[in-house]
Amino acid sequence: MTEKDAKEAILSAVKAYCDTYHNQKPPFREGQRIPYASRVYDSAEMVNLVDSALEFWLTSGRYTQQFETKLARYLGVRYCSFVNSGSSANLLAFMALTSPLLGERRIRRGDEVITVAAGFPTTVSPVIQYGAVPVFVDVTIPQYNIDTARLEKALSPKTKAVMLAHTLGNPFDLKAVKSFCDEHGLWLIEDNCDALGSVYELDGKERLTGTIGDIGTSSFYPPHHMTTGEGGAVYTDDPLLHKCIRSFRDWGRDCVCPSGQDNLCGRRFDRQYGEL
């Protein structure tokens, strides 16, 4: 048996196993508990999972590249970077805005970031971790999204960005927030972890949430719209922000080579750094 034959036999057995022993749900009974979120999958997902394991590529590889490309295409953005969680996605999105490559617009320690007073901790924790100052704005009821009427009062000479989540799939007032950010030269990060696929009409055009601000983030934790088990993504249309995002994600690496490839630029060994 060749390696190809062995792989096909394993994956065929995996498909049969999933079809036989998974997703065999009994008929619904009155009074039965209905979870608000659950795993939705079939043999295709299980086969892909085992296929990835057989390949045994332990860093980002073929599946990561496919995921980034297809998610960017779905969202209609140019760049997408896969990460290990939605929390890391928020941290990465914020840290990208601290890059010296952004000049005077970079966020520095002590700068202020407007955010919402009621939401998930990881929308706020990157601001605190870096040493910037979160400025909390209350929500409206029953929307539970930011009260945009309070934005001007939250503004100060130290304000550099607005970082907000769309609550439980319901977009915040993007028109008002985007206009506010544009007027005052502020970055806008959309925490899109609860709202992947939500549509917002802006300037007569329907757009997906997460693509209207400068940077959007998603989470693929099991209770969200789709899951990778754990996982998240950061996406943007801005090539400079993408460069910052990739460099921070890859611990300062400033290179376009995909994982497993080297020296695509042909200049890896043609410079002298100090006495090395």
Side-chain angles (χ1 to χ4, degrees), residues 25-245:
K25 294 183 179 180
F28 175 77
R29 300 188 311 275
E30 185 176 348
Q32 179 179 327
R33 179 178 178 271
I34 302 175
Y36 83 96
S38 63
R39 300 172 300 170
V40 179
Y41 67 99
D42 59 21
S43 59
E45 280 79 20
M46 191 170 285
V47 166
N48 281 346
L49 182 68
V50 175
D51 185 36
S52 177
L54 292 175
E55 195 171 86
F56 213 68
W57 188 263
L58 298 180
T59 58
S60 62
R62 174 169 61 95
Y63 277 108
T64 298
Q65 292 164 14
Q66 288 178 9
F67 188 90
E68 290 174 339
T69 299
K70 291 184 178 181
L71 183 60
R73 186 181 303 143
Y74 165 75
L75 291 167
V77 297
R78 296 171 67 187
Y79 309 107
C80 175
S81 299
F82 188 76
V83 293
N84 66 310
S85 71
S87 301
S88 291
N90 280 345
L91 177 61
L92 183 59
F94 179 82
M95 294 303 290
L97 300 183
T98 71
S99 171
L101 295 178
L102 302 179
E104 290 302 311
R105 292 197 67 193
R106 69 178 290 203
I107 297 175
R108 301 174 184 269
R109 297 181 188 276
D111 284 340
E112 295 179 357
V113 178
I114 295 173
T115 188
V116 70
F120 198 71
T122 57
T123 309
V124 180
S125 57
V127 180
I128 299 170
Q129 284 176 254
Y130 179 72
V133 180
V135 177
F136 295 103
V137 176
D138 209 348
V139 298
T140 58
I141 304 295
Q143 294 83 7
Y144 303 103
N145 272 314
I146 189 169
D147 184 353
T148 56
R150 300 172 183 255
L151 282 173
E152 290 291 343
K153 290 183 179 180
L155 184 69
S156 85
K158 290 186 176 181
T159 306
K160 285 289 186 69
V162 175
M163 187 169 180
L164 303 171
H166 299 289
T167 303
L168 299 176
N170 299 305
F172 57 76
D173 188 345
L174 267 163
K175 182 177 181 180
V177 173
K178 182 72 165 59
S179 176
F180 173 78
C181 290
D182 290 346
E183 180 182 353
H184 299 288
L186 307 176
W187 299 109
L188 174 57
I189 298 177
E190 289 181 73
D191 180 339
N192 200 40
C193 292
D194 273 348
L196 181 63
S198 293
V199 174
Y200 190 91
E201 185 173 317
L202 187 67
D203 299 327
K205 181 180 179 183
E206 288 190 345
R207 295 176 61 179
L208 290 168
T209 55
T211 68
I212 294 171
D214 297 288
I215 303 176
T217 62
S218 281
S219 170
F220 307 118
Y221 189 69
H224 287 131
H225 301 74
M226 63 180 182
T227 182
T228 55
E230 297 280 358
V234 185
Y235 31 92
T236 183
D237 257 335
D238 188 310
L240 179 57
L241 289 178
H242 174 63
K243 178 183 175 73
C244 297
I245 289 165

